[in-house]
Amino acid sequence: MAASKLTFNFLLLNFLASLRIPEISLCDRSRQPKRHVAMFIFGDSIFDAGNDNYINLSVSDRANYWPYGETFFHFPTGRFTDGRLIVDLIATKIGQPFVPPYLQPGINFTNGVNFASGGAGVFYETDPKVISLGMQLSNFKNVAISMEEQIGDKEAKKLLSQAVYATSVGANDYSYFVDNYPNATQLERDEFVNNMVGNVTDFVKELYNFGARKFAILNVGPRGCQPAVRQSEELRGDGCEEVSLQMIKKHNSATSKAIKELESKLSGFKYSILDFYTILLDMIKHPKDYGKYIYFDNVRVLVRKQSKRHIVFHSLSFGNAQVLQCRIMRHSNKFTLIY
């Protein structure tokens, strides 16, 4: 099971190396990156750092109440997790502060902006109450224009070209499609996948036209294996809802090919795709490969001991949200994480 052997730290290094982002030690905070690297973040609850706090949603659709945030920030921040997001860990790794949500008052654009919104999809219709990918792109364009006014055209273009553009989106769209069109034909499913891939590709090209050059993409996870889906489908054992799984596999494959094609056509285009689908599916299907549960700081965590490092994975599920989050233990001045 190859995925079970991949550590999150290793995957982060792959992200950073493939995008040529300056990298620093997680433990030695005195080592600073060679140059400033902003991050612009798009997507859904996997990346949302609190934008949903500022829009008109019911309490159950937000993440601004306990136990969200309990294990790192010790208070809810609007992140759909008990700790930090993947993009928070990337920011730490490159020596940058956590990227603030777009709707947070008084933010500094030069460190980057997080536009992600929990519940968002590629299509506006997926959830009109939240900030869709298209709306996030419009917000980014407004930020880019404001940056030109604040720091000048030359500096703004430099910052935008050196920045990292992280995206995680698509799972909510497939949930919407499967839930609303349970009797769809195979042709209709394939057409939806093609529309999804086309829109994601157009989104990346739009960012490129505004100066983006470095893209970090999380592919769509195994929506059909999420606890809420398995419960609603009354599935037993390790069974998963197969329609969305098959659609998402096609989506991930086609998106990977489309992004690779962009690399061959667009000058200076660099990208890295994290195979979130395979990693998370392996953890769901083979939980024992990742160790055993212990209590750490009064929190139930899943631990696997590998070499001389402790790898800690923390999983919670409450309300409508499935929370998957890394916890960290220190050993020999190194952190090793698994996600």
Side-chain angles (χ1 to χ4, degrees):
M1 299 161 203
S4 67
K5 299 177 182 178
L6 295 175
T7 65
F8 186 66
N9 207 31
F10 173 74
L11 294 170
L12 273 184
L13 289 174
N14 274 352
F15 254 150
L16 303 176
S18 64
L19 298 171
R20 297 182 182 178
I21 304 171
E23 178 266 327
I24 65 170
S25 168
L26 275 170
C27 302
D28 183 1
R29 296 184 183 275
S30 65
R31 292 174 58 193
Q32 296 300 315
K34 297 177 182 178
R35 65 177 183 272
H36 175 79
V37 179
M39 289 181 66
F40 295 98
I41 300 163
F42 307 85
D44 51 30
S45 59
I46 300 294
F47 282 177
D48 184 3
N51 281 309
D52 280 9
N53 287 350
Y54 300 95
I55 58 180
N56 187 22
L57 294 173
S58 65
V59 172
S60 63
D61 289 333
R62 296 179 179 175
N64 58 351
Y65 56 90
W66 188 90
Y68 290 114
E70 65 171 347
T71 64
F72 182 80
F73 299 98
H74 307 299
F75 61 89
T77 64
R79 290 167 170 81
F80 288 83
T81 171
D82 64 315
R84 287 171 290 178
L85 305 168
I86 295 173
V87 286
D88 293 330
L89 295 171
I90 294 175
T92 298
K93 190 67 176 172
I94 62 177
Q96 305 295 349
F98 296 156
V99 181
Y102 171 70
L103 294 178
Q104 178 179 302
I107 64 173
N108 181 358
F109 292 159
T110 58
N111 288 324
V113 183
N114 189 323
F115 301 96
S117 174
V122 171
F123 300 122
Y124 171 81
E125 294 78 13
T126 295
D127 190 344
K129 301 188 302 297
V130 299
I131 311 168
S132 68
L133 190 64
M135 296 167 67
Q136 293 175 36
L137 179 61
S138 295
N139 292 337
F140 165 75
K141 291 178 179 180
N142 291 334
V143 166
I145 293 170
S146 295
M147 287 177 58
E148 291 178 1
E149 296 172 352
Q150 291 177 14
I151 63 177
D153 182 68
K154 182 178 179 181
E155 286 300 313
K157 286 181 178 178
K158 180 180 178 182
L159 187 149
L160 292 172
S161 67
Q162 293 179 349
V164 177
Y165 296 78
T167 304
S168 171
V169 70
N172 294 316
D173 296 285
Y174 286 103
S175 293
Y176 172 84
F177 181 86
V178 172
D179 291 344
N180 287 277
Y181 303 100
N183 299 318
T185 65
Q186 187 61 53
L187 182 63
E188 290 169 332
R189 294 170 187 167
D190 290 343
E191 183 179 5
F192 184 82
V193 172
N194 291 336
N195 287 336
M196 283 283 291
V197 174
N199 276 270
V200 170
T201 306
D202 288 344
F203 165 77
V204 172
K205 288 191 290 187
E206 279 286 300
L207 288 176
Y208 179 88
N209 291 337
F210 261 74
R213 293 296 181 269
K214 301 175 182 179
F215 297 86
I217 300 169
L218 207 70
N219 71 9
V220 181
R223 175 263 180 197
C225 295
Q226 291 176 354
V229 175
R230 295 170 68 180
Q231 183 178 17
S232 66
E233 296 288 331
E234 298 183 350
L235 298 171
R236 304 299 181 199
D238 63 353
C240 296
E241 186 275 307
E242 289 296 328
V243 172
S244 64
L245 282 188
Q246 294 304 316
M247 293 178 71
I248 289 170
K249 282 196 286 188
K250 289 181 179 180
H251 170 100
N252 287 339
S253 177
T255 300
S256 181
K257 292 177 182 177
I259 299 300
K260 186 173 181 61
E261 186 175 342
L262 288 183
E263 183 185 35
S264 66
K265 293 180 177 180
L266 303 178
S267 176
F269 184 96
K270 301 180 186 303
Y271 77 97
S272 181
I273 296 179
L274 178 62
D275 190 1
F276 186 58
Y277 180 98
T278 299
I279 296 167
L280 187 53
L281 183 63
D282 189 73
M283 300 187 80
I284 293 170
K285 293 285 190 179
H286 309 104
K288 291 183 180 179
D289 288 352
Y290 294 87
K292 62 181 181 180
Y293 282 105
I294 66 169
Y295 281 88
F296 177 66
D297 287 350
N298 295 319
V299 178
R300 188 171 181 252
V301 296
L302 183 62
V303 179
R304 185 180 77 184
K305 189 174 183 180
Q306 177 177 325
S307 300
K308 295 185 178 180
R309 302 180 182 90
H310 284 88
I311 301 174
V312 183
F313 176 78
H314 184 199
S315 176
L316 296 177
S317 181
F318 50 86
N320 294 325
Q322 179 189 16
V323 179
L324 298 168
Q325 182 61 40
C326 299
R327 293 297 308 277
I328 303 174
M329 294 180 70
R330 188 179 182 91
H331 188 88
S332 300
N333 296 321
K334 292 183 179 180
F335 288 114
T336 303
L337 314 177
I338 206 161
Y339 190 93

